[in-house]
Amino acid sequence: MPLFDKAEIMDKDAIRRALVRIAHEIVEKNKGLDNVVMVGIRRRGVPLAQRLAKILGEIENKEVPVGELDITLYRDDLTMRFDQPHVGRTHLPFDVAKKKVILVDDVLYTGRTVRAALDAIVDLGRPECIQLAVLIDRGHREIPIRADYVGKNVPTSRKEVIHVRLTEVDGVEQVVISEEKDEE
Amino acid sequence: MALKGKDILSLREMNPEDIELILSTARSLKEILSRPIKKVPTLRGKVVCTLFYEPSTRTRTSFELAAKYMSADTVSIATATSSVKKGETLADTARNLEVMGIDVVVMRHSVSGACHFLAKVLDVPVINAGDGMHEHPTQGLLDIFTILEYKSKIRGLKVAILGDVLHSRVARSDIFGLTKMGAEVSVAGPNTLLPPEIEALGVKAYNRVEDAVEGADVIYVLRLQLERQTKSLFPSKREYHDFFGLDRKRLRYAKEDAIVMHPGPMNRGVEISTDVADSPRSVILDQVVSGVAVRMAALYLILGGRE
């Protein structure tokens, strides 16, 4: 079914402001940035993690390491799909053991991606803690997972789709809500 | 994304998109090999069966580790101690394994075409781990993967394949794979070890090793397959080394940054001299690492859920 963009819910400035606020919350909650590392979930979590690290660096005058995580190998639906999803690269340029890992993704929906990401991180070592930052929380959780930092809460119906478009990946900067429409 | 066919039988039949898909998946999966705990849950509950009718250390271990690193279970049938010895046919052995619940068969067999036969008999996928003098597709893929790690491209590279091309399934898979991806491949060896129609595969054939190695980016030395020689195709190992072995002197004809490859097991002092095999130009052990990554990719892609 084709998708139609219904409304833009965040523009370039709104995204930037949300990230700045999240960055301040991260500093506040962790009382600084000691042992804090950012891990972006591929694909759009990665540029978001990089941007947050940059803002954090400016706030606290400190470099925050950023890793990228691909969760494909940890999905819970692999045996149910006909096609195998493409496996992207996981690259964490640090050891997660004893770190405060801030996991970053664009949209929090069913929670299954985050579940897979938690398993993927724990397989790499035992962090001191894992926190979750998302740009959009659209509800409809299927497992008990919540975010520590949320850019914007967006109540949605399951028929709707949230598209986060980022300059690094999509060439534009916006969050839109779209909906499936039956063809006439 | 899925591979086109049910099985992985040959690089001659594999389209370039599938080759690229396996290679790019292997690139991502290679990271797992550097972890302190090498285990991802991806193939939990799947059973990989290795059925080897010929001896093997590298290929079999490589497939089994690839399966284990991805949490699949493995069973390995060594034909010397199995009911094959009682005269059971290949099809019967394989059908029995299939009804016991295995999900993929990795087979090596001394008869060319045995894997194609098995793929027709079985519903589960078959991966060819070397069939007679025909093909060894995952070796071809890991060779291409290794070359890409060093040269970042295949198109336009000059690859010289040296030695026993006649008996080599590795050579055939490499030739099909590399030419498909745009490499310029040449072969060199004594006439008795070069198939007469070899140039029909799109390669240049030489008798002098120096002619093939001249300006090469990659030198691929084949194992002299002494066990497959039915008549004397060259006078002695010593003489073979003197005329066709890769030594430091012949290596000088290649580009300065050329890499040296060998599928293993090596006959040191025959097709390759020890100083070349152990030189910094040699990427022979990298090939072994690539092998595990490529086989993880092959198993992952071929064991996709089929409703």
Side-chain angles (χ1 to χ4, degrees):
Chain A
M1 252 178 289
L3 287 169
F4 294 90
D5 284 3
K6 272 202 316 197
E8 182 177 278
I9 49 180
M10 286 179 108
D11 61 12
K12 190 168 183 273
D13 286 329
I15 293 173
R16 181 180 49 79
R17 288 188 195 108
L19 292 176
V20 169
R21 176 177 48 77
I22 289 174
H24 281 282
E25 287 175 6
I26 291 173
V27 175
E28 188 184 10
K29 183 172 173 127
N30 294 288
K31 302 185 179 66
L33 292 174
D34 288 346
N35 288 325
V36 168
V37 296
M38 312 298 292
V39 174
I41 300 177
R42 282 177 71 97
R43 288 177 64 199
R44 287 177 185 76
V46 176
L48 290 174
Q50 284 159 346
R51 291 187 201 180
L52 279 171
K54 184 159 178 281
I55 302 167
L56 288 168
E58 284 159 10
I59 298 172
E60 289 286 289
N61 205 9
K62 201 169 172 187
E63 201 163 311
V64 182
V66 185
E68 46 192 274
L69 188 71
D70 185 273
I71 57 99
T72 311
L73 300 170
Y74 293 85
R75 292 173 69 122
D76 58 8
D77 59 353
L78 283 176
T79 52
M80 289 147 62
R81 297 167 59 100
F82 180 73
D83 280 357
Q84 289 291 65
H86 183 72
V87 185
R89 198 169 81 113
T90 289
H91 179 63
L92 304 190
F94 44 76
D95 184 356
V96 295
K98 298 185 182 153
K99 298 288 191 327
K100 295 174 181 169
V101 174
I102 316 283
L103 199 55
V104 185
D105 205 0
D106 55 350
V107 179
L108 179 57
Y109 181 28
T110 63
R112 287 176 193 268
T113 301
V114 175
R115 199 280 311 156
L118 293 174
D119 279 355
I121 287 178
V122 170
D123 264 7
L124 295 169
R126 185 177 188 275
E128 182 185 319
C129 65
I130 304 177
Q131 298 165 13
L132 176 63
V134 296
L135 186 60
I136 303 288
D137 182 348
R138 60 166 294 191
H140 302 288
R141 221 74 80 233
E142 291 169 3
I143 37 181
I145 275 173
R146 61 160 182 77
D148 298 273
Y149 313 100
V150 179
K152 192 178 176 72
N153 281 292
V154 183
T156 57
S157 85
R158 282 177 181 276
K159 283 186 89 175
E160 290 167 325
V161 179
I162 300 278
H163 288 294
V164 172
R165 296 176 184 139
L166 302 173
T167 320
E168 296 92 327
V169 182
D170 311 284
V172 287
E173 190 80 1
Q174 58 174 184
V175 180
V176 296
I177 189 161
S178 51
E179 191 169 16
E180 290 179 355
K181 279 224 184 93
D182 300 315
E183 275 165 299
E184 302 290 312
Chain B
M1 261 169 281
L3 298 174
K4 296 291 174 296
K6 165 176 86 80
D7 315 282
I8 297 177
L9 300 175
S10 74
L11 291 194
R12 172 180 238 162
E13 295 157 317
M14 191 179 280
N15 61 43
E17 295 79 57
D18 280 358
I19 294 178
E20 297 277 4
L21 177 59
I22 294 175
L23 296 175
S24 73
T25 304
R27 257 191 294 282
S28 297
L29 293 174
K30 199 181 167 201
E31 167 263 328
I32 294 165
L33 303 177
S34 58
R35 293 184 185 186
I37 299 170
K38 294 180 263 296
K39 200 90 167 169
V40 295
T42 317
L43 298 181
R44 235 167 5 149
K46 302 283 188 185
V47 184
V48 176
C49 175
T50 57
L51 178 58
F52 276 52
Y53 285 82
E54 271 190 356
S56 159
T57 311
R58 240 164 314 277
T59 306
R60 184 187 203 124
T61 311
S62 173
F63 267 110
E64 287 187 11
L65 287 177
K68 286 175 203 286
Y69 292 159
M70 302 192 84
S71 298
D73 294 304
T74 55
V75 283
S76 56
I77 316 294
T79 54
T81 54
S82 71
S83 50
V84 171
K85 277 276 170 259
K86 298 179 187 166
E88 188 171 47
T89 66
L90 169 59
D92 283 338
T93 303
R95 277 199 202 101
N96 276 273
L97 293 167
E98 186 174 42
V99 295
M100 281 191 247
I102 58 159
D103 295 290
V104 57
V105 179
V106 177
M107 185 170 80
R108 167 166 293 184
H109 203 286
S110 55
V111 175
S112 305
C115 294
H116 282 78
F117 164 75
L118 196 66
K120 281 194 198 107
V121 173
L122 297 182
D123 289 330
V124 298
V126 174
I127 300 180
N128 180 358
D131 62 329
M133 297 189 284
H134 174 229
E135 277 219 44
H136 189 356
T138 59
Q139 176 76 42
L141 291 167
L142 76 89
D143 289 335
I144 296 172
F145 184 90
T146 309
I147 297 173
L148 279 170
E149 286 203 314
Y150 279 89
K151 304 287 173 194
S152 319
K153 58 159 189 181
I154 298 294
R155 188 158 301 281
L157 285 188
K158 288 186 77 174
V159 182
I161 299 179
L162 309 182
D164 188 356
V165 179
L166 179 66
H167 298 101
S168 178
R169 52 196 175 209
V170 174
R172 254 166 285 265
S173 287
D174 277 341
I175 290 170
F176 289 129
L178 287 167
T179 51
K180 220 166 254 197
M181 294 185 72
E184 245 180 78
V185 182
S186 57
V187 298
N191 266 337
T192 47
L193 293 177
L194 294 179
E197 301 290 327
I198 187 75
E199 291 201 324
L201 300 184
V203 304
K204 281 202 203 82
Y206 299 99
N207 289 127
R208 283 184 72 233
V209 169
E210 290 81 353
D211 292 340
V213 170
E214 181 78 54
D217 300 283
V218 178
I219 305 168
Y220 201 100
V221 186
L222 297 169
R223 185 171 68 87
L224 196 56
Q225 304 206 19
L226 302 164
E227 77 278 13
R228 288 190 215 280
Q229 318 260 341
T230 45
K231 50 189 178 219
S232 47
L233 298 170
F234 54 91
S236 72
K237 287 194 230 174
R238 173 75 168 278
E239 203 170 319
Y240 182 87
H241 183 68
D242 288 347
F243 283 95
F244 302 102
L246 183 70
D247 55 16
R248 203 175 283 267
K249 201 172 74 246
R250 295 201 171 101
L251 184 54
R252 264 190 233 124
Y253 286 82
K255 285 207 183 116
E256 237 165 66
D257 60 348
I259 54 172
V260 175
M261 303 173 76
H262 190 293
M266 282 187 274
N267 299 307
R268 286 171 179 267
V270 185
E271 69 263 9
I272 187 164
S273 67
T274 282
D275 58 344
V276 170
D278 299 333
S279 76
R281 311 277 282 278
S282 156
V283 300
I284 295 168
L285 289 174
D286 298 272
Q287 289 173 264
V288 181
V289 179
S290 308
V292 181
V294 162
R295 283 160 186 142
M296 285 168 81
L299 290 172
Y300 169 74
L301 291 167
I302 219 160
L303 284 172
R306 315 229 168 220
E307 55 257 61

